[in-house]
Amino acid sequence: MATKILLEHVGVEGIRAIDTYLAHGGYRSVGKALKEMSSDQLVEEVKTAGLRGRGGAGFPTGMKWSFLDKKSENPRYLVCNADESEPGTFKDRYLMERIPHLLIEGMITASYALGANTSYIYVRGEMMPVIRLLEKAIAEAYAKGYLGKNILGSGYNLDLYVQPGGGAYICGEETALLESLEGKRGNPRNKPPFPAVSGLYGCPTVINNVETIASVPWIVNNGGAAYASIGIGKSTGTKLISACGNIRQPGVYEIELGLPVEEFLYSDVYCGGIAEGRELKAVVPGGSSVPILPKELILKTAAGEPRLMSYESLAEGGFVSGSMLGSGGFIVFDDRACIVRNLWNFTRFYHHESCGQCSPCREGTGWMAKVLHRIEHGHGKMSDIDLLVDVAKHIEGKTICPLGDAAAWPVGSAIRHFRDEFEAHVKNPDSCLAKHLHGAYAHAASIM
Amino acid sequence: MSDLLKVTIDGNSIEVPPGTTIMQAARQLGGKYPPAMCYYEPLKNTGGKCRVCLVKVAQTSEANPRPMPKLVASCITRVEQGMVVENETSKEVLDARNGVVEFLLINHPLDCPVCDQAGECDLQNLSYEHGHEQTRYEEGRREFERIDIGPYVQLHMTRCILCYRCVYAADQLTGQRVHGVLNRGDVSEIGTYIQQSIENEFSGNIIDVCPVGALTDKTYRFKQRVWFSKPFDAHRNCDKCCGKVVLWMKGDTIIRVTARKNEFGEVTDFICNNCRFEHKQAADWTIEGPRVIDPESVIGANKYELPVVSPAVNVDAKFVSE
């Protein structure tokens, strides 16, 4: 059985209550960190662990923490990014819903490491039940003395707040999140300055994903070296993968990084294979924004090596034949799925969620969505396919924030790997696989 | 001085003080500096949005000779010692700029023949330099109703390119902010909360900072094409602003008053509504002399030549054959 770091106690009855959580070793890391370790030691420990940002970019967390401007006289802030809204990604929600105290514990330990006395959890506005759970958990932590003034007699003070977002995907981008947290319109900021220097209210700020922060207590309790011994190469530790699509067992799984994709997809411990005895067609391995990979490239790399669930292995081959681990939103398509229809759906999402601040993303996302709508509904032209590639190319890397890239990558990759399907849609619109599957789509929509 | 930073743009070098942006350095160098649709030097925090000023940094600095991984917005990127920038000399930059101009135009109505801004429109100039002759866009364009915001200004959102300049102008020049951006993405719109009118003494400046014809002067509406009116520098004693303006005359009549702009199309001194809208008599002003117009400007004489029709294309024959 693989090591469980985040989901170890998820199945325990009443784990949402602080007493049960304490009985299962909860809040141990707070005592250890505050009484036995200095903040620099904590940062070093996280660096040793090799923990990488679980929000999608995979940036080393210890390094991010060490960038924090500690010379500044301004207060420092830790902000937890719980604005999880990437299509196909639902791991943070699961974690906060099942075991809210783990996040609170991680927030206390991480805030102490950064020297922050006020911290925020910015939760996606649609997840109201999660917000209520977190607020209840925070109240319990205050009552037990894990939050507030002079925590456990250590002299360290911390106030923790939950802030609901207004329901915008863009507010998951860290600087847009800060704008939103400050009460402004959620537009991403120009960088530099980076949040580590000038973040929330112009003060040094670290923004981390829920899963990243929830990994910190285990690292404090067991040591960075123990964490680094799990996983493969620079992909250390475990990762939550939210598997969805037409698989036998959709859900959230904690895997040790380095697990072969084939095992994850077909093992009964995880996805359990493709449902209804169908064939695998393609996988989007890290949330809707990462490139889609066809069957032959998701199970094996272009060089013929088995593909592993790790930052490096999934990215092998660059964007020509690789993808990204991203946020761990593992979306599986079987042989009935229509790639064109799926891509149209993704571009519709990015069009709807673009903040409209910079021109390429504001105009380009809408253009791609409209062209794909035309192709999917039988009014496409052959030249539209190259047009889409060209529009995506003009968005990618030209925007203020990564939303432009996130909108462009799925388009480029889908046409790269499934061009014949787009051409078939143009030549014979009735060949669309999805047309004959209204029942299946209605079913998918009803469970989403 | 030793603390000046040396930056090379398209092969020409200049030394500038720390904190200077690539755009500012390029403007000081003269020649072909990157275009700007959203950046406006007199207004704080503008820039970074329109992405037409993207340039390639071929060498980040002396200490770090690697190129920057992506094209950067020259209006917000600060120079470093020994930075090497490619603007017009980079194919990648020109291609990106073409792309951005195309994006800006797909939702623009191209109603230049009936737009008061035509002739002094930044988007017109930009697309003349960098645009395509034909559009690849076949879908419907974004449309909005025209809105009167206050007695003097009309907002025609359909033409807006969402540069946010007017938002910063309204925020920074006027006492109370009632003007901002509503909605999201390509349906965002400039507006006032529940169509409140903008009534303060400097609101007219949002017309001058608008790079396109989205915010226009209602007192000048359809009076004259810009290139048929004659600009004069003039001033009057005003207790609210500097009183230094440009009068746009048709014969002896003042048909429009605007603030003075520098060679980069940026207002040098913002003027009050009283000067702009309420003094349309020649007797109100001391005329200094004709406004010097850059011969390259579209309102200079003979800027545009008639298109040269290639003899290889016989237009009539094409129609006949169809």
Side-chain angles (χ1 to χ4, degrees), chain A residues 168 185 187 190 351-355 357-360 362-363 367 370 374 381 390 394 398-400 405, chain B residues 47-51 76 95-96 102-104 107 136-140 161-162 164 181 183-186:
Chain A
R185 181 184 165 85
N187 277 4
N190 285 314
H351 174 212
H352 185 254
E353 296 297 341
S354 169
C355 79
Q357 189 180 205
C358 63
S359 337
R362 178 184 67 234
E363 308 293 351
W367 192 358
K370 286 171 187 168
R374 240 173 347 101
K381 295 195 296 276
D390 201 51
H394 278 134
K398 313 284 192 297
T399 51
I400 295 176
D405 298 339
Chain B
K49 294 183 179 15
C50 70
R51 317 306 280 184
I76 49 166
D95 178 52
E102 188 176 23
F103 287 139
L104 289 176
N107 270 317
R136 297 187 288 174
Y137 187 73
E138 300 171 9
E139 274 61 45
I161 58 160
L162 287 162
Y164 285 58
V181 179
N183 298 332
R184 188 167 72 192
D186 63 2

Side-chain angles (χ1 to χ4, degrees), chain A residues 303-315:
Chain A
E305 302 282 321
R307 185 84 74 179
L308 309 177
M309 299 289 280
S310 74
Y311 291 100
E312 290 77 20
S313 178
L314 277 171

Side-chain angles (χ1 to χ4, degrees), chain A residues 317-332:
Chain A
F319 277 3
V320 178
S321 65
S323 184
M324 284 165 79
L325 179 62
S327 59
F330 197 83
I331 312 170
V332 182

Side-chain angles (χ1 to χ4, degrees), chain B residues 56-261:
Chain B
K56 185 176 172 65
V57 177
Q59 176 179 318
T60 309
S61 66
E62 247 171 31
N64 176 13
R66 286 179 303 175
M68 287 192 185
K70 292 177 183 177
L71 300 182
V72 296
S74 58
C75 60
I76 49 166
T77 308
R78 296 190 174 171
V79 299
E80 289 175 49
Q81 181 64 272
M83 184 182 264
V84 178
V85 179
E86 291 174 9
N87 173 31
E88 295 277 327
T89 51
S90 164
K91 258 191 154 169
E92 195 186 343
V93 169
L94 294 178
D95 178 52
R97 212 166 275 167
N98 266 326
V100 176
V101 174
E102 188 176 23
F103 287 139
L104 289 176
L105 289 175
I106 63 169
N107 270 317
H108 191 76
L110 295 170
D111 59 346
C112 310
V114 294
C115 176
D116 277 337
Q117 188 86 3
E120 48 180 22
C121 172
D122 290 353
L123 186 59
Q124 228 176 10
N125 297 352
L126 185 72
S127 45
Y128 191 73
E129 291 263 320
H130 293 284
H132 301 275
E133 280 180 19
Q134 284 182 322
T135 180
R136 297 187 288 174
Y137 187 73
E138 300 171 9
E139 274 61 45
R141 286 167 199 256
R142 173 177 68 217
E143 280 177 32
F144 296 87
E145 292 292 315
R146 282 187 288 268
I147 300 171
D148 286 331
I149 42 176
Y152 301 121
V153 187
Q154 186 173 71
L155 168 65
H156 195 6
M157 240 339 271
T158 310
R159 293 174 184 153
C160 178
I161 58 160
L162 287 162
C163 69
Y164 285 58
R165 274 184 192 174
C166 61
V167 177
Y168 288 106
D171 202 13
Q172 290 169 25
L173 299 178
T174 62
Q176 194 191 3
R177 184 181 157 188
V178 290
H179 179 100
V181 179
L182 309 169
N183 298 332
R184 188 167 72 192
D186 63 2
V187 291
S188 22
E189 61 182 295
I190 301 291
T192 53
Y193 184 57
I194 322 186
Q195 301 195 3
Q196 192 178 354
S197 67
I198 295 183
E199 284 170 21
N200 53 56
E201 285 162 0
F202 282 81
S203 66
N205 288 297
I206 61 178
I207 300 166
D208 279 347
V209 301
C210 183
V212 293
L215 291 161
T216 47
D217 183 342
K218 273 166 71 181
T219 64
Y220 174 64
R221 197 163 163 70
F222 300 144
K223 285 266 174 72
Q224 182 68 289
R225 303 302 335 202
V226 173
W227 54 88
F228 290 134
S229 53
K230 293 198 166 50
F232 293 91
D233 282 345
H235 65 264
R236 65 180 277 269
N237 282 329
C238 177
D239 51 0
K240 292 184 186 120
C241 68
C242 64
K244 291 178 187 163
V245 301
V246 180
L247 302 179
W248 299 78
M249 317 264 297
K250 180 187 185 182
D252 293 335
T253 324
I254 298 172
I255 50 171
R256 182 170 72 137
V257 181
T258 67
R260 292 184 192 176
K261 292 184 175 179

